[in-house]
């Protein structure tokens, strides 16, 4: 096939398509186009090794390689531990667990308020006077669970 005045082999076109898909993944990351790019690259390598395959065989190879790459990628993502959940990404209360804070409104009958940074949060835990130090042990919604430090 001639494109831009250059004679392109089908293998080279598949590899160029793989490169374009990989660049698209970099521009708009979503961890999906990279698997399709892998399918196109594998098809390109097969076409370089066996240049006489027709377009139907090429399309079938591309579909099979892409489906396999997507299946492998899904399996890998399913079994790999998520680091975002363990570090409390987008979960402010999870980041607070373990911190020692000051009681700003006495905890009476298990309820009060603690000072976290420049704000006050509702807290539940053992009775403690204002000014006492408590450690955050958990959270339910925006209510912190505390224990005496």
């Amino acid at each position: 096939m001639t494109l831009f005045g250059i004679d392109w082999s089908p293998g080279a076109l598949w590899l160029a398509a793989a490169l374009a898909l990989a660049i698209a993944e970099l521009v708009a990351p979503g961890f999906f186009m990279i698997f399709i790019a892998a399918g196109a690259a594998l098809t390109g390598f097969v076409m370089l090794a066996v240049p006489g395959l027709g377009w139907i065989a090429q399309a079938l190879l591309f579909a099979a390689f892409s489906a396999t790459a997507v299946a492998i990628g899904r399996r890998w993502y399913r079994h790999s531990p998520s680091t975002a959940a363990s570090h409390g990404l987008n979960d402010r209360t999870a980041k607070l667990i373990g911190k020692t804070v000051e009681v700003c409104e006495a905890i009476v009958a298990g309820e009060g308020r603690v000072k976290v940074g420049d704000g006050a949060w509702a807290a539940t835990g053992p009775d403690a006077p204002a000014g006492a130090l408590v450690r955050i042990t958990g959270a339910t919604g925006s209510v912190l669970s505390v224990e005496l430090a």
Side-chain angles (χ1 to χ4, degrees):
M1 168 182 240
T2 302
L3 187 63
F4 302 116
I6 301 171
D7 234 2
W8 291 80
S9 72
L13 287 174
W14 280 109
L15 292 174
L19 180 64
L21 288 165
I23 290 170
E25 177 71 29
L26 291 174
V27 172
F31 294 104
F32 183 78
M33 296 297 275
I34 198 69
F35 301 121
I36 307 301
L42 289 171
T43 304
F45 290 132
V46 168
M47 290 308 300
L48 290 175
V50 185
L53 292 177
W55 67 271
I56 293 176
Q58 292 177 42
L60 291 173
L61 279 174
F62 173 64
F65 287 145
S66 296
T68 303
V70 168
I72 290 170
R74 284 178 49 97
R75 182 179 220 181
W76 184 75
Y77 283 125
R78 190 177 315 127
H79 294 299
S80 70
S82 174
T83 57
S86 63
H87 294 302
L89 182 65
N90 296 329
D91 187 2
R92 184 172 180 202
T93 55
K95 292 180 185 178
L96 296 176
I97 295 174
K99 291 190 183 245
T100 301
V101 295
E102 182 181 345
V103 176
C104 61
E105 290 180 22
I107 300 175
V108 179
E111 295 182 358
R113 295 185 72 75
V114 295
K115 183 177 181 180
V116 179
D118 61 349
W121 289 57
T124 59
D127 290 355
L133 294 178
V134 292
R135 183 176 300 103
I136 300 170
T137 59
T140 304
S142 63
V143 179
L144 302 176
S145 300
V146 297
E147 65 182 15
L148 294 173

